Amino acid sequence: LAYTARYTHSVEAVRAAFSDEQYWKARIDEVGGPGARLDSFANDGEQVRVQLVQAIPADQLPPAITAVRPGDLVIPRTETYSGTTGTVEAHVDGAPAKVSATVTLTDDGAGSIATVSGTIEVKIPLFGGKIEAAISEHLLELLNNEAAFTEEWLAKH
């Protein structure tokens, strides 16, 4: 998993958004998808930890996935940020699938860049690779939507 988001705002501004519970509530409402919710938000001044749940509706999944795992894919996700780095951990309820990634915020002179680097792992013989590819496709689309939301949020706040 590799994704890069570019923002016209500073690392400090992006970090401030990530430290704001209202940002996370608005983001999950705007781009979280059906049934998405923010389960918890904690900011102790040093570290921000967010737990949310999102889903990929069954009708948006390839038949290879719904044959192995019928129904929507419910994906609990935890994001933790400290300074200019973060981690993302997610899994699929009822399936041996997980996502682990790091997020690094850097200044680029004209704004900032968030670099996401990680892995998607599905431990299902024969079908694992197809499921990983489908999760990757949906995750990249979600990351793109979240980055667009963040840029809009920063412009308004």
Side-chain angles (χ1 to χ4, degrees), residues 73-90:
L73 294 184
V74 177
I75 307 167
R77 176 172 151 193
T78 301
E79 297 191 32
T80 306
Y81 295 93
S82 181
T84 58
T85 60
T87 60
V88 178
E89 300 288 333

Side-chain angles (χ1 to χ4, degrees), residues 3-143:
Y3 180 80
T4 302
R6 298 188 190 293
Y7 302 111
T8 58
H9 297 82
S10 69
V11 167
E12 291 78 17
V14 175
R15 176 79 172 110
F18 287 1
S19 299
D20 185 339
E21 185 173 7
Q22 293 309 310
Y23 161 83
W24 290 98
K25 288 178 178 180
R27 190 177 99 172
I28 200 76
D29 287 346
E30 178 86 17
V31 298
R37 67 183 189 271
L38 177 64
D39 278 353
S40 71
F41 173 87
N43 180 354
D44 66 9
E46 300 272 328
Q47 185 180 71
V48 174
R49 182 179 169 89
V50 181
Q51 292 178 298
L52 43 99
V53 176
Q54 293 169 284
I56 302 173
D59 63 1
Q60 294 180 13
L61 297 169
I65 294 177
T66 55
V68 175
R69 169 67 175 70
D72 297 348
L73 294 184
V74 177
I75 307 167
R77 176 172 151 193
T78 301
E79 297 191 32
T80 306
Y81 295 93
S82 181
T84 58
T85 60
T87 60
V88 178
E89 300 288 333
H91 68 276
V92 176
D93 279 350
K98 68 178 184 175
V99 175
S100 298
T102 59
V103 180
T104 306
L105 295 171
T106 55
D107 214 342
D108 76 348
S112 58
I113 298 172
T115 305
V116 179
S117 178
T119 59
I120 300 169
E121 184 179 37
V122 179
K123 293 183 178 181
I124 298 177
L126 303 175
F127 292 102
K130 288 183 180 184
I131 297 171
E132 287 170 0
I135 291 172
S136 178
E137 179 182 330
H138 282 276
L139 188 53
L140 290 172
E141 181 181 337
L142 177 64
L143 290 171

